[in-house]
Amino acid sequence: MDRNILNGKKHIHFIGIGGSGMYPLAQILHGQGYYLTGSDNNETETLDAVRKMGIPVYIGQRAENIGDADLIVHTAAIMADNPELTAAKASGVTVLERADLLGIVTSWYDRAICVSGTHGKTSTTSMITQIMYTAGIDLSAYIGGKLPCIGGSGIAGKSDILVCESCEFEDHFLKFFPDISVVLNIDADHLDYFGTLENIIKSFHKFNENTSKCIIINGSDKNSMESLKGVEGKDIITFGSDSSCDYYPENIKHENGLLTTYDAVYKGEKLGTVTLHVAGIHNVLNSLAAVAAARYCGVDFKYIAKGLEDFRGAKRRFEKLGEEKGITVVDDYAHHPTELEATLRAAKEMNFNKVWAIFQPFTFSRTKLLLDDFAKALSIADHTVLTDIMGSREKNIYGIFTRHLAEKIDGCIWFPQNEDEEWSDERKYFNFEQVCDYVCENASEGDLVITLGCGDAYKIAKMILKKLSQEDKNV
C-alpha cells in the first residue's frame, strides 16, 4: 500500500462510520484536519458521538451518499453488492478497506506502538494510552473500546507517538508499520481463515519482522516466543510471570474484588508497586506489557504507576454496569475460550456467592471449531446461561446450534429454537427476554451476573438491571 495515498486528499467518506474499528479512525483523521462524511444503517450512541464532532452522517446506504469524496473507506463487513460501495468503486476515486487506511496512518508516526495478541489487545492498548495521557504526552491512539480519559476510542495528538490496537483477523495487522510491537499471546482463533495454529504463529512472525525498532513479547507464552524465532535486528524485551523474563511481577495481592497490587520488577530491580482496578492475573501481565512499552518510550515509572492506578478498564472489559437487589451486574467482551477462562477465573476469585455466566456465542465457525474449549471454560461459572449463536457475517453451513454447546455444560440453561429458523433480530430479542427473566427469577443477593461475548449480549445486562429495579418499585 502506497504510504502517500492520502496526499492531496481533502474529503474522506466512511461507509459504516459507526463501526468499532471505523469510529476511532474517524476521530484521528478528523483531528488531522480532513473533512469527513459517513453513513450507517442504524442510529447508535456512536453515531451521536460522530455528529458531535461535526461530521455529517447519513442513515441508510445509498449511492448518492459518497458525494464529492476523493477517498472512500469501508469496513470488511460491507458486502460487495452494497449500493454505496458499488457506487464508490464505479466513481473512479480511491477506495480503501479500513485496515489499509489504518496501516497508512501508522506510517505517519516515528513511535507507532502496535499492540497485538489473541487476547487483551483493547485492555493493554488502553493501559498504555492512559499512562501516556497521565504523563502529559500529546499522543494519538486507536483503541477497540472506549477510554474515558480521551473521551472515546481514538484521539489525534501532535507527538510522534501512536498507540494502536492491531488485530490479526484476516492478517489485518500485516498492513501496519509498527515501530514498537507488543505481542501479548498467541492462541488458536479465526481458524476459518488461518486453518491452523501454526499459520497464526507464522503471521505473528511476519508482524515481528515488520517491526522497525523493538518487540515487547510475552516470554511466558510458548507460541509467542515461537513467533520470534529467526527475527533479528530489533530490540527484544520480554515480560511474563517469572524472573526468566525482563519484566515480571512479585507479591501479587487481590483485594476487595477488583483491586490487585503487585511489585513490578525489571531484571531483578524493583521499580515500584502497581495498583490495578481491573481483575485477574491476565491483567497483571497486560499491565507489565504496558509498563515495558511506556518505559521504552522514556516515561518515568511514577507516571506509569499513576496511569495504571487511574485506569478503570475500557468499556466492555469487566465493566461494572450496576447493582440491584444485592446482585452485581458486569459486562465483558470475552468471546474466545481462553478469554472466557481468564475472565471467569478472575470472577471466581472475588467474594461473590455465585457467578452467573450469560454467554452469546459469536460466529458459527468459531463455535463449531472450539466447541469443547468453550464448554470447559464456561463450566468454571456456577451457573451458565446461553443465548442463540450470533452468526454475524456467516451463514450456518456448520449445522451448529446452541444446544450442542449447552449439552456439554452441566446444568446449563438455554432456550431452544426451531433449528430451521434463520438467526434474526426478532428471534434474538425474544431469546434475550427469556434469558433476562430466568436470571432475574433465580439469581440471589450476593451473586455476580456477567454477560459475555463480542456481539450485543451487553443488552441483556441492561435488561436485567432494569427488571430488577422495577421489581423493587413494585414491592
Side-chain angles (χ1 to χ4, degrees), residues 114-386:
C114 294
V115 181
S116 73
T118 315
H119 324 292
K121 292 184 291 293
T122 298
S123 293
T124 307
T125 307
S126 298
M127 288 176 180
I128 298 171
T129 301
Q130 182 90 48
I131 289 168
M132 300 285 187
Y133 179 87
T134 300
I137 295 169
D138 189 18
L139 78 157
S140 299
Y142 176 97
I143 310 173
K146 295 177 181 177
L147 182 64
C149 74
I150 64 170
S153 50
I155 189 171
K158 294 182 170 56
S159 75
D160 66 347
I161 292 178
L162 167 71
V163 185
C164 179
E165 184 169 333
S166 307
C167 186
E168 75 279 5
F169 175 70
E170 293 189 353
D171 280 330
H172 284 175
F173 66 164
L174 297 185
K175 299 177 180 182
F176 299 175
F177 297 88
D179 299 297
I180 302 160
S181 63
V182 178
V183 181
L184 298 169
N185 42 63
I186 301 175
D187 212 338
D189 198 8
H190 304 302
L191 294 178
D192 54 324
Y193 173 79
F194 288 108
T196 65
L197 174 60
E198 288 70 26
N199 286 336
I200 299 173
I201 294 172
K202 286 178 182 177
S203 282
F204 275 89
H205 176 81
K206 292 177 185 175
F207 178 72
N208 290 333
E209 287 277 20
N210 290 345
T211 304
S212 65
K213 295 175 183 175
C214 176
I215 300 169
I216 298 168
I217 194 163
N218 187 344
S220 299
D221 182 63
K222 178 183 176 183
N223 293 334
S224 296
M225 295 308 290
E226 180 70 22
S227 76
L228 198 59
K229 288 183 177 178
V231 176
E232 298 177 348
K234 337 278 183 185
D235 293 333
I236 306 296
I237 299 172
T238 59
F239 66 93
S241 56
D242 57 47
S243 60
S244 64
C245 301
D246 297 324
Y247 287 89
Y248 57 95
E250 288 184 345
N251 303 318
I252 300 173
K253 297 176 183 176
H254 301 290
E255 305 170 13
N256 301 323
L258 291 177
L259 182 66
T260 299
T261 62
Y262 71 90
D263 293 331
V265 183
Y266 175 67
K267 295 186 176 180
E269 175 193 355
K270 177 182 172 181
L271 301 173
T273 299
V274 171
T275 299
L276 297 176
H277 293 275
V278 287
I281 190 66
H282 59 294
N283 275 316
V284 171
L285 295 181
N286 291 340
S287 68
L288 279 171
V291 170
R295 290 191 79 224
Y296 187 81
C297 291
V299 180
D300 190 278
F301 185 79
K302 67 179 180 181
Y303 295 115
I304 295 172
K306 180 66 166 60
L308 289 173
E309 186 170 5
D310 288 347
F311 179 68
R312 293 297 190 276
K315 195 169 179 65
R316 298 216 62 209
R317 271 66 182 180
F318 216 94
E319 180 186 9
K320 182 177 178 179
L321 298 180
E323 184 176 332
E324 291 288 347
K325 297 180 70 173
I327 299 168
T328 301
V329 180
V330 168
D331 176 62
D332 195 273
Y333 194 73
H335 56 282
H336 182 278
T338 303
E339 296 167 347
L340 291 170
E341 181 178 353
T343 299
L344 291 173
R345 288 200 184 284
K348 289 284 284 182
E349 290 173 359
M350 300 175 187
N351 297 321
F352 293 101
N353 292 337
K354 301 289 184 182
V355 173
W356 290 75
I358 300 173
F359 179 56
Q360 180 188 49
F362 186 78
T363 71
F364 302 110
S365 60
R366 180 186 281 127
T367 307
K368 175 75 172 181
L369 293 168
L370 302 176
L371 190 68
D372 289 340
D373 293 331
F374 274 120
K376 181 180 176 183
L378 290 164
S379 296
I380 294 168
D382 298 294
H383 302 283
T384 302
V385 185
L386 302 178

Side-chain angles (χ1 to χ4, degrees), residues 324-325 464-475:
E324 291 288 347
K325 297 180 70 173
I464 289 170
L465 285 170
K466 183 177 179 180
K467 184 176 179 67
L468 290 174
S469 67
Q470 288 173 340
E471 288 177 358
D472 273 344
K473 294 173 184 176
N474 294 332
V475 173

Side-chain angles (χ1 to χ4, degrees), residues 380-394:
I380 294 168
D382 298 294
H383 302 283
T384 302
V385 185
L386 302 178
T387 77
D388 292 339
I389 299 169
M390 185 175 185
S392 184
R393 57 187 177 271
E394 295 182 343

